[in-house]
């Protein structure tokens, strides 16, 4: 019998998705919950709320707190942290690569590596060279993966995922959704989402 | 030698300040940290950010999530919860009463009781009768307390507290500030703020 499934919706520009992406594998295994990585784009969803950039840029006091808060969280979790420049970074290309990789067995490892590249090493994740280096480290042929990412079919898949996120009520990232059930928003809710997923399974 | 002090800044209309206010006494005692209750008004601070009501009303998707999230948090904490109507409620009068009570030994108990009245019992905390009933339960003479709350001196004290909050970079509630140091925003950060306060003491 299949156990409970938790969908992990994320955008690569999302700051709090970094600790979530790094932590979710271990925590889900401990909880006995299956996780599906669901990359999508926050941009169209923010636009529908009237925002043309990150709310952390639109509200500077909130933004200042977010950077310090993220730094403290990472310190408490023992995660390296480096503020990316620029912020937010265009997440379209890495999201397309991640979608292409989900069907090929390397999408999850790629996604975690993109977060580490951006938030631990301060690398520019919108540059194809950064993504190619990450793919090489995973023993994935970079040119084939980037070509697959930019195919029309794959572009439509990412668009459909973003529409699905909006349909499910996703308004930020990270978001965790128990299949057919509860939505949880934020890295702070990862443990709770896993507990509730296990109860529902 | 005095130990570490953590200031707890709150507005009575703030939803997540309910679990924070109910939990902070026990958690601070366990951590060996002294807490000061600092009531203030979020309204002027939100206005400076361009908001004329709660961001949970301005962004409906966030608002829907907040109510369900708060309900789940209260369920997990064993706290009763009832959504207040209307929302947000005018917090001016209870804030003035709380400021008046801080110097008289009943301000903290009054503050916790106002949160319970609003979020556990669905009562209207802007009505003098609600506040009078809470004061009576605390063996405080309601008329004297309400008169003290509405005195010019006390009104100015609350205004000065709100200005101090803005000066310290407070942009939401609950906010926890270690004297002369770190600012932590949100009920989710209460435990972390206490840990950091203890380290700094």
């Amino acid at each position: 019998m299949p156990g409970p499934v938790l969908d992990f919706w994320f955008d690569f520009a999302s700051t709090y998705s970094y600790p979530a992406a790094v932590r979710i594998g271990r925590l889900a295994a401990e909880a006995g919950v299956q996780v599906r990585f669901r990359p999508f784009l926050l941009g169209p969803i923010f636009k529908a709320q009237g925002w043309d950039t990150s709310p952390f840029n639109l509200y500077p006091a909130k933004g200042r707190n977010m950077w310090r808060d993220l730094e403290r969280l990472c310190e408490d979790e023992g995660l390296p942290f480096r503020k990316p420049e620029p912020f937010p970074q265009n997440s379209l290309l890495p999201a397309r690569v991640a979608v292409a990789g989900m069907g090929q067995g390397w999408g999850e490892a790629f996604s975690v590596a993109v977060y580490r590249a951006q938030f631990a090493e301060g690398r520019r994740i919108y540059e194809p060279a950064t993504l190619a280096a990450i793919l090489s480290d995973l023993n994935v042929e970079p040119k084939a993966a980037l070509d697959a990412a930019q195919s029309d079919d794959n572009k439509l898949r990412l668009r459909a995922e973003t529409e699905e996120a909006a349909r499910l009520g996703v308004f930020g990232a990270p978001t965790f959704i128990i299949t057919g059930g509860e939505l949880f928003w934020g890295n702070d809710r990862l443990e709770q989402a896993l507990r509730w997923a296990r109860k529902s399974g």
Side-chain angles (χ1 to χ4, degrees), chain A residues 28-201:
Chain A
E30 287 169 9
V33 171
Q34 186 194 332
V35 166
R36 283 192 303 194
F37 276 48
R38 307 287 296 264
F40 76 108
L41 296 178
L42 264 178
I45 288 170
F46 279 174
K47 262 202 194 93
Q49 292 181 63
W51 297 337
D52 60 359
T53 180
S54 164
F56 295 126
N57 287 351
L58 294 171
Y59 301 106
K62 249 181 143 156
R64 275 190 300 275
N65 176 69
M66 180 274 291
W67 290 117
R68 180 61 186 138
D69 181 53
L70 186 60
E71 195 169 45
R72 284 187 308 230
L73 280 181
C74 289
E75 186 179 327
D76 284 358
E77 286 281 338
L79 294 179
F81 173 72
R82 187 165 150 189
K83 186 179 167 179
E85 195 64 56
F87 176 82
Q89 301 198 358
N90 189 329
S91 53
L92 178 61
L93 184 57
R96 284 178 176 165
V97 177
V99 165
M102 288 305 160
Q104 299 181 32
W106 49 265
E108 299 196 6
F110 171 81
S111 298
V112 174
V114 168
Y115 279 112
R116 287 192 191 275
Q118 184 180 194
F119 293 103
E121 298 158 23
R123 288 155 74 194
R124 302 189 166 187
I125 60 158
Y126 53 91
E127 290 180 352
T130 306
L131 303 179
I134 291 170
L135 290 163
S136 287
D137 285 347
L138 298 171
N139 293 315
V140 177
E141 210 285 293
K143 186 172 180 320
L146 288 164
D147 285 350
Q150 299 285 38
S151 72
D152 286 344
D153 268 12
N154 193 66
K155 289 178 181 175
L156 286 176
R157 262 213 299 276
L158 175 58
R159 191 176 304 170
E161 284 290 273
T162 298
E163 286 165 3
E164 173 72 355
R167 199 187 60 76
L168 291 169
V170 172
F171 58 91
T175 291
F176 311 101
I177 303 182
I178 302 171
T179 312
E182 299 277 330
L183 178 156
F184 299 81
W185 173 52
N187 172 62
D188 295 321
R189 294 294 176 273
L190 172 53
E191 286 84 348
Q192 188 188 34
L194 289 166
R195 276 199 310 275
W196 280 61
R198 190 174 42 192
K199 279 195 297 182
S200 78

